Amino acid sequence: MIQTQKKIQIEIEVLSKLNNQDLADLCNITEEAIKAGGGFGWLKPPPRLVLKNYWRGVVLVPRRKLVVGRHNGAIAGTLQVAFQPPNNEAQQNIFNIISHFVVPWARGFGLAKRMIDKAENIGKENGANIAYLDVRETQEAAIKLFQSKGYEKWATNNYYACVDGKNIKGYYFFKKLK
């Protein structure tokens, strides 16, 4: 048996518009992530048109950045950086990392960590120095990842989500950027 080792190329970028291939990639990985239990709120994949409209809308939202991680050119993970609205002057130093996931087949290559690094850099470039995020208690790998990146748990919500009629806790994290 001959074993070959394929070089994996990882890229992180911010998308401000979507071409057809990127939109298809986003819809595909969202469906896969939902089926694997990590679909940022969805419990079952919605119709494809709903996913397309969701992703098209993300790039239109003011004060939001769509960060994607590519695995050999295909989008394999995303997160969104959400800034406070302009009227919230007291919290302009805070941004949120939301809807963060990596499709199961692309885990273990550093995409999630590099997307967080990108999000933090975007936050700093926009004058923020505090990052917030939240996650379900069932997302153990994500919790370990965030803690390894220096995020501190500051609160628990015992009624964060309801899955199959069962309440799931949610954990809230923050990180002060240097």
Side-chain angles (χ1 to χ4, degrees):
M1 173 189 262
I2 298 174
Q3 289 186 331
T4 60
Q5 192 172 21
K6 183 178 180 181
K7 185 173 177 160
I8 304 298
Q9 184 177 357
I10 301 297
E11 297 173 275
I12 308 301
E13 64 184 285
V14 178
L15 298 183
S16 58
K17 60 183 181 174
L18 301 176
N19 63 39
N20 288 337
Q21 184 60 55
D22 289 345
L23 183 59
D25 285 352
L26 287 165
C27 291
N28 289 337
I29 68 167
T30 303
E31 289 171 343
E32 289 182 54
I34 293 166
K35 290 174 185 172
F40 56 91
W42 273 306
L43 300 176
K44 58 183 180 180
R48 183 54 70 113
L49 182 58
V50 171
L51 287 176
K52 286 181 177 181
N53 288 338
Y54 171 80
W55 288 111
R56 286 181 184 130
V58 167
V59 296
L60 297 176
V61 176
R63 305 190 56 75
R64 185 170 296 200
K65 306 284 184 192
L66 175 61
V67 175
V68 299
R70 292 185 187 274
H71 179 281
N72 290 340
I75 295 176
T78 79
L79 66 73
Q80 295 169 46
V81 179
F83 294 97
Q84 302 300 318
N87 64 296
N88 188 351
E89 293 175 332
Q91 293 184 330
Q92 290 301 304
N93 66 318
I94 297 169
F95 68 96
N96 292 76
I97 296 174
I98 59 174
S99 304
H100 181 225
F101 73 96
V102 174
V103 71
W105 56 261
R107 293 178 184 160
F109 296 101
L111 271 174
K113 287 181 181 180
R114 290 192 48 205
M115 287 190 300
I116 291 170
D117 292 342
K118 182 70 170 179
E120 291 174 359
N121 286 333
I122 291 168
K124 289 189 280 189
E125 289 166 3
N126 285 273
N129 63 357
I130 303 287
Y132 284 170
L133 57 85
D134 56 81
V135 63
R136 282 188 227 160
E137 70 177 328
T138 56
Q139 303 295 318
E140 294 172 6
I143 292 166
K144 287 179 185 173
L145 167 68
F146 298 135
Q147 290 172 328
S148 78
K149 297 294 289 175
Y151 284 78
E152 298 177 49
K153 185 168 94 170
W154 63 273
T156 300
N157 177 348
N158 291 327
Y159 304 98
Y160 179 82
C162 184
V163 178
D164 297 325
K166 181 181 176 198
N167 289 320
I168 305 292
K169 290 179 186 174
Y171 300 136
Y172 296 84
F173 290 86
F174 81 96
K175 180 178 180 179
K176 179 140 177 56
L177 306 177
K178 297 175 183 173

